[in-house]
Amino acid sequence: LATDEEKDSLALYSGWGAAASELASLDVPEKMALIQSTGSAFYTPPEGIDALWAAALKAGFSGGTVLEAGAGVGWLLARMPDSLRATSRVVAVEREPHAARILQVLHPDADVLMCDFKIAPVAPESVDLVIGNFPFGSESMRDGRYPVSGLHDYFLMHSMSKLKPGGVMVVLTSTYTLDSLSASVRKHVQTHQGADLLAAVRLPTGLFVGTDVAVDCLVLRRRLPNEAARDASWVNSKRGTTEGGTEFSYNASASWKN
């Protein structure tokens, strides 16, 4: 077992996303897994983590099964409110070997799955809360169960499939989830997966060290059987043009807050 001092040192590991070029000089068995994770391994700062937990509480979550996909070393779990820790079971998925092993040491009470989220053995509709920072990357994800999407949107849809009716999702994701001109992902989540957007907040650029990616905090909830859908305006995006003539797209949801 790790000492408290050793755990503090392990918790400092923050992924390879901001230092991908340094991997080329490494000679370790897990080198390929590390390289595969560099495009998305940007861990969430404390203020972002606290905001996620606050949003989960405000959305009504008071305990149950919690899923974090792409859990890193467990920074989010370390800041879980005590009131929820006592009433929750945590399932944490992390494919990067070093991070997953550190996660197991720091959070021995969590069910840690060291594998790709796509094949993680998490049963459909078995989770009460999905929380976390979805990974960012340029890879295109193909899975016959969902529309073709980017990595962040794949995590959104696949995580939603694990959520029970009435369950809540509180996540950080790329602004493209809401702003993309294609509505295929949003329509799938709203219509086929039966989820409503409760709130959305755009966060400052530069929240993650090593990247200037723009991020939204989204709060969604899966509807109960026969429950009427809420406002679905978030499914559609609109076109706009800057003063310089550059076209862009944006989401005009009634749930939006800047």
Side-chain angles (χ1 to χ4, degrees):
L1 297 176
T3 65
D4 289 343
E5 184 177 353
E6 290 170 335
K7 288 181 179 180
D8 289 341
S9 297
L10 289 171
L12 295 176
Y13 180 75
S14 61
W16 292 90
S21 61
E22 298 181 17
L23 289 175
S25 62
L26 296 181
D27 183 21
V28 295
E30 298 92 346
K31 183 174 181 179
M32 290 310 298
L34 288 170
I35 291 173
Q36 289 170 356
S37 77
T38 56
S40 56
F42 297 96
Y43 290 171
T44 317
E47 57 270 28
I49 294 172
D50 292 343
L52 290 174
W53 285 119
L57 288 167
K58 189 172 182 179
F61 179 71
S62 59
T65 301
V66 178
L67 170 65
E68 184 185 7
V73 299
W75 287 15
L76 188 143
L77 301 183
R79 300 182 74 88
M80 185 178 190
D82 290 339
S83 61
L84 297 181
R85 193 181 304 277
T87 57
S88 300
R89 165 182 171 258
V90 175
V91 179
V93 183
E94 175 55 52
R95 76 173 182 179
E96 199 267 274
H98 289 293
R101 289 166 186 161
I102 293 172
L103 178 61
Q104 289 173 324
V105 172
L106 297 180
H107 301 281
D109 294 334
D111 295 334
V112 177
L113 305 176
M114 188 171 68
C115 61
D116 193 297
F117 183 40
K118 187 175 183 178
I119 61 171
V122 181
E125 299 188 352
S126 63
V127 172
D128 299 286
L129 173 69
V130 170
I131 191 167
N133 166 24
F134 287 155
F136 304 90
S138 59
E139 54 190 298
S140 181
M141 302 296 293
R142 297 180 181 275
D143 185 324
R145 296 168 290 185
Y146 317 117
V148 177
S149 67
L151 184 62
H152 53 281
D153 283 338
Y154 178 81
F155 267 66
L156 174 71
M157 293 183 288
H158 197 44
S159 295
M160 187 63 72
S161 75
K162 310 301 181 183
L163 201 60
K164 297 176 183 177
V168 175
M169 175 183 288
V170 182
V171 293
L172 300 180
T173 184
S174 166
T175 56
Y176 287 107
T177 295
L178 286 186
D179 288 352
S180 172
L181 276 176
S182 172
S184 60
V185 170
R186 298 188 296 272
K187 185 175 181 180
H188 182 85
V189 172
Q190 169 78 22
T191 304
H192 296 283
Q193 295 186 312
D196 295 315
L197 179 68
L198 303 184
V201 180
R202 182 143 298 172
L203 303 178
T205 301
L207 181 65
F208 302 102
V209 176
T211 178
D212 58 358
V213 66
V215 177
D216 289 337
C217 177
L218 305 184
V219 182
L220 301 105
R221 175 182 173 274
R222 284 199 74 181
R223 295 187 293 276
L224 296 169
N226 301 317
E227 182 179 353
R230 299 192 181 198
D231 172 62
S233 61
W234 71 283
V235 171
N236 299 309
S237 59
K238 299 181 180 180
R239 292 180 182 271
T241 306
T242 66
E243 292 183 357
T246 301
E247 290 190 351
F248 65 96
S249 59
Y250 64 97
N251 191 291
S253 167
S255 302
W256 185 253
K257 294 180 182 179
N258 283 305

